[in-house]
Every structure is written in C-alpha cells, then in structure tokens.
Amino acid sequence: MADQAGDPLFQSQDPIFDRKELLHVGHVPDEDRIVGRDDEIESVAAEIGAITRGDPPNNVMIYGKTGTGKSLISRHVATRARNAARDNGIDCGVLYVDCSEANTETRTTRQLALSLKDGTDYRENIPVRGVGTMEYYQHIWAILEDCFDAVVVILDEIDKLDNSNILMQLSRAREARKTDAYIGVIGISNKVKYRETLDERIDSSFGHRELFFHPYDASQLREIMRNREDAFQPDVLADGTIELCAALAAKKHGDARKAIEILKEAGELARRTGSETVSENHIKQAQEVAEINRIEELTSGATVHAKLALYALASHIITGERETYKTREIYQRYVGICDLVATDPITENGLYRQLKEQAFLGVIESEKTGGGRSQGSYLLHRLVTDPKHIVKAVRRDASLEELPTYGRLTETGPATGGRDTDLSSFD
Ligand SMILES: Nc1ncnc2c1ncn2[C@@H]1O[C@H](COP(=O)(O)OP(=O)(O)O)[C@@H](O)[C@H]1O
Ligand SMILES: [Mg+2]
C-alpha cells in the first residue's frame, strides 16, 4: 500500500483510525462482536424459530430505549433463522423496513414488495409511483406464493408508521388465503408507550409476544467497545478511555449507539487537534457534543414554545437551588423569555401540554405531587440531562440563538443584561 504511486496528498495513513467503519452507525457487527444479549437472542429465536422447522412462527414486539440492540438483534436472529430454514430446505426470506423512513402504509408495502422481488424470478413490474397500497399487497402475496415458504418481516421504529393496518394484513394473510407462506413479524419500538396505543389500534388477529430490552450497564458497554477497538490504530486509545466512555454512557442512558458514537467523535477530535492518542479529555468533550446532539434531535420536531419551556426549566435549575419546578414556575419564567425573543406566549395550559410532550420524548420527567388536602396536587418537572446541554441545544435553533447562554433570567427578563457569567465553565 505505502509504495503505491499517486497523489501524495492522499497517501498518508490515518493516524487515529484503522477500520473506522466499525464505528459507523449502520454497521452490523459479526456475531462474535455481539455482547451481552444472549437471552434476548434466544427469546427472539424462540418466537420466530418455528419458521425454521416449517411451522408457523409467533409475532413479536420488541420494546426498549434507543441503543439497546433491538435492531441489531432482530436482524441477527432473522438472518440466522433464514439460514437455518434454508438448511432444512425451507425457502425463507428476511425483510427489513425502517418505518421512520417508510412512514406510511404505502411506502412500507412498496418497500416490502420491492425487496421481496429482489433476487427472485418474479416477472411482474412493480411500479414505484402512481399505485396504492392494495396493489403493493397484491405483489407481496403473489411473490410470497410463488417464491417463498416463509418470511420474517422486521418493522423497525413501527411507532412512526401512520397506521397499523399492515400488522393485521400480514397476520391474516394465510387465513384470508392470500398466500400459504408463513409470515413472522418482528415489530420494534423505542417507545414503551406505543404498546398501549397498539392495543387500541389493532385487533386480536395480530397475536404477539412482547419483549423488553433493557439499557446496557457499564461492563457490557465496555465489552461492546472493546470488541471494536481495532477501529483504531494500535496504541492510540489511551488507558482508561474505553472505561470512561462506558461509564459515562451507562450513567446516561445505557445506549450502545451513543457509546460508540462518543468513541468515534473522540477519535475525530483527537485527529483534528493533531493528538496522537485519544485521551479521557477527548471522551469528555465528545460526550458533551453527543448529548447536545441528542437533545437537539429529540426536540427537533418541537415547537418554539416547547423549546422555550425547556430553556425556562433549565435556567431555573442553573440559577436556583432545586432540581424540580412546578408548571406555574416554569410558565412564569417562560413568559419573561418570550418577551426576550419577541414571541407571544401561549397559555399556561398550552405550555403544560408542551411539557407533557417533552416528558413523552424523555427530555424531562414529570411527577405528580400531592400537596395535601388543602393544596391540591401539582406537577413537578425535572430535566433528564444537564441543564447546560438544554441551553446549548435550544440555542441551536436559529430563531433562538439570541438567548443568553447561561440562562440567568428572572420572571421579567434577564437579571443581567450582558453575557458575562459566573458559571464560567458554561460555554
Ligand atoms: N450487544 C451488542 N453488541 C455489540 N454491539 C451492539 C450491541 N447492541 C448494540 N450494539 C451496537 O450499538 C448500536 C445501536 O444498536 P441498535 O441495535 O441500533 O439499537 P436500537 O435498535 O435498540 O436503537 C449499533 O451500532 C449496534 O451495532
Ligand atoms: Mg433501532
């Protein structure tokens, strides 16, 4: 490699990364790099495993927070099931749809039909536009009938789908004599709350088991990252970096994706600053960036008012003595902040609903507190993350970048006009 001719501009070896692809978000690790999910692998296999013996599988819904290995384990088990089925002479397919992209029934069925057709000798043309859901179902049934004995359909982030009809269609297909192939559905959702709405949306034809994936602990995260150490050049990772990264990620959310992202970001930081090693300091900085990104992502769909409400709560926490604040207190500060950014405030009740939405997204936690018989009960809100990260994430909204960095505000506006601050570590 090193002796090859060519533009010297592109000749130098990456000083930090060797196999960076191991740290890419979509990278599916080999089996021997999967850590700490043996029980989950077995549970998923137990639900869909019948397919490998030519029997009907169970459907399964997998719930759990992001980065707990739901997508990875589903794909892994489905692929192994397909191979085991093939060994038994059963023609089994695996289909994967990310419903956060294919977020309508039409898009999902289109993708299912197109990927089913892929690699088969099904001759009919499947139009990409101009046809509806029913036509895609027709193709799906026809391909299944012609080319498969069984199929595992993974519907990832299924809560993003605008309706749940597809679950009924897939589970009734045999009964309705659309196809003889067995269909096993693995539905995945990051939102445990989706479980309640799912029961309202579907009927009993989509019989299914439920599995819950729990966040990883520090030692599991450590091992997940150790298994990808060869993403880096030898001796680049300083002692203790993986341990620190795992500890930080475990403390936050037990999210393997974030842990890997932090490790990668730390490497990039080291490279940008010309450092030869990735140090604990790089990890800490990368962790902050990752957390702010996460908050920004979570709040990206939120209204300006929700963001201002979060900012108001953050500023309360930074300047006050408590960790939790009442809706009323947040509202009062919010009104002052609205004035600052020349926005008309919404009503207190409106803001209350925005706060509830944020609790649903996991940015805040809200807890009902009984104030005793005479006082009635009220909600107390706390931030799930460092308030400084909230302030930074909210200020990334172009219309809100004028907000003070440190959140030192009173109910009537900023206490100090300028941006000088005694919270010096803030920016
Ligand atoms: N048990 C594990 N062993 C190795 N890598 C894992 C494990 N769990 C998750 N990962 C990695 O972490 C990232 C997030 O996992 P993913 O399955 O996408 O989580 P989820 O779908 O629950 O959000 C992926 O890059 C995945 O490869
Ligand atoms: Mg996933």
Side-chain angles (χ1 to χ4, degrees):
M1 280 275 284
D3 293 334
Q4 268 173 13
D7 188 340
L9 183 61
F10 304 106
Q11 289 283 298
S12 65
Q13 194 193 33
D14 187 322
I16 299 287
F17 294 108
D18 181 19
R19 297 183 56 202
K20 195 173 172 190
E21 73 275 9
L22 295 178
L23 303 175
H24 284 175
V25 178
H27 173 75
V28 178
D30 307 335
E31 187 183 336
D32 56 358
R33 289 180 193 259
I34 296 181
V35 169
R37 281 293 183 243
D38 294 349
D39 291 349
E40 287 78 2
I41 290 175
E42 274 178 30
S43 302
V44 177
E47 301 307 337
I48 64 166
I51 229 166
T52 66
R53 303 181 293 272
D55 292 327
N58 292 327
N59 300 313
V60 52
M61 281 295 307
I62 302 179
Y63 297 102
K65 296 198 168 150
T66 60
T68 52
K70 301 181 301 297
S71 303
L72 171 66
I73 300 305
S74 303
R75 298 176 98 137
H76 172 75
V77 175
T79 310
R80 280 174 74 177
R82 180 192 61 200
N83 296 342
R86 286 186 180 165
D87 289 345
N88 294 337
I90 295 162
D91 227 325
C92 179
V94 173
L95 299 174
Y96 176 90
V97 182
D98 180 353
C99 301
S100 67
E101 279 162 23
N103 58 357
T104 65
E105 192 179 3
T106 311
R107 289 187 188 143
T108 301
T109 48
R110 174 172 57 214
Q111 198 182 317
L112 286 178
L114 290 170
S115 30
L116 255 186
K117 181 183 172 184
D118 204 29
T120 68
D121 45 20
Y122 185 70
R123 297 207 171 274
E124 301 244 353
N125 176 44
I126 302 179
V128 189
R129 48 183 75 77
V131 297
T133 309
M134 287 328 291
E135 190 162 341
Y136 290 126
Y137 277 120
Q138 302 299 337
H139 286 293
I140 293 172
W141 309 141
I143 305 170
L144 282 177
E145 198 48 30
D146 289 357
C147 315
F148 290 95
D149 301 317
V151 65
V152 180
V153 180
I154 302 172
L155 299 174
D156 205 347
E157 311 230 8
I158 190 170
D159 48 277
K160 302 276 165 57
L161 209 51
D162 61 354
N163 74 63
S164 315
N165 186 40
I166 191 165
L167 294 178
M168 268 91 74
Q169 293 289 341
L170 293 174
S171 52
R172 286 193 202 124
R174 257 178 72 91
E175 203 181 304
R177 303 200 169 271
K178 310 274 194 205
T179 169
D180 277 333
Y182 285 123
I183 304 174
V185 177
I186 303 179
I188 303 175
S189 174
N190 294 333
K191 302 201 172 81
V192 177
K193 289 210 168 139
Y194 177 72
R195 189 175 166 218
E196 294 152 25
T197 61
L198 183 67
D199 286 340
E200 291 159 16
R201 291 198 211 180
I202 53 168
D203 58 38
S204 58
S205 68
F206 183 67
H208 63 280
R209 304 286 170 81
E210 293 175 331
L211 296 176
F212 297 87
F213 280 28
H214 298 291
Y216 292 108
D217 63 25
S219 77
Q220 289 169 324
L221 291 171
R222 213 156 45 221
E223 230 188 304
I224 288 173
M225 284 184 281
R226 280 247 172 74
N227 274 343
R228 300 184 194 207
E229 254 175 328
D230 41 346
F232 293 88
Q233 300 286 0
D235 302 324
V236 158
L237 282 181
D239 277 352
T241 37
I242 284 192
E243 284 69 16
L244 176 67
C245 192
L248 288 172
K251 204 166 85 195
K252 287 288 180 187
H253 315 281
D255 177 337
R257 181 186 296 114
K258 275 287 164 292
I260 295 169
E261 266 173 31
I262 292 169
L263 198 58
K264 182 169 142 205
E265 175 69 29
E268 265 155 16
L269 225 84
R271 187 168 56 184
R272 274 203 300 276
T273 54
S275 170
E276 282 169 8
T277 56
V278 178
S279 68
E280 296 195 357
N281 221 349
H282 293 128
I283 298 279
K284 282 185 194 146
Q285 286 179 46
Q287 204 263 339
E288 260 214 62
V289 173
E291 181 62 8
I292 296 166
N293 289 346
R294 189 183 75 91
I295 302 293
E296 193 187 10
E297 220 169 84
L298 282 176
T299 55
S300 62
T303 64
V304 149
H305 300 287
K307 291 180 184 174
L308 291 177
L310 288 175
Y311 182 91
L313 175 56
S315 97
H316 261 310
I317 295 171
I318 292 170
T319 57
E321 248 116 64
R322 284 178 281 139
E323 289 294 312
T324 59
Y325 288 86
K326 296 184 201 175
T327 311
R328 168 66 48 90
E329 293 171 311
I330 298 172
Y331 184 69
Q332 284 166 347
R333 187 158 291 200
Y334 154 83
V335 171
I337 297 168
C338 278
D339 194 37
L340 206 67
V341 290
T343 300
D344 286 335
I346 55 173
T347 63
E348 184 170 336
N349 203 20
L351 197 79
Y352 167 75
R353 282 198 297 272
Q354 304 271 342
L355 287 168
K356 266 174 68 171
E357 170 96 347
Q358 294 305 308
F360 182 75
L361 293 172
V363 185
I364 63 177
E365 277 171 5
S366 307
E367 164 190 29
K368 203 171 223 158
T369 304
R373 197 178 301 171
S374 55
Q375 290 157 289
S377 66
Y378 51 87
L379 275 186
L380 278 177
H381 310 275
R382 83 168 69 239
L383 284 175
V384 177
T385 187
D386 187 328
K388 292 179 264 170
H389 295 150
I390 296 281
V391 171
K392 285 192 181 171
V394 169
R395 288 181 75 254
R396 284 196 189 163
D397 184 320
S399 68
L400 302 175
E401 63 191 11
E402 286 304 311
L403 286 169
T405 48
Y406 50 87
R408 171 170 280 240
L409 296 159
T410 67
E411 276 62 57
T412 51
T416 56
R419 289 189 179 184
D420 57 324
T421 166
D422 45 6
L423 299 153
S424 48
S425 65
F426 211 103
D427 217 17

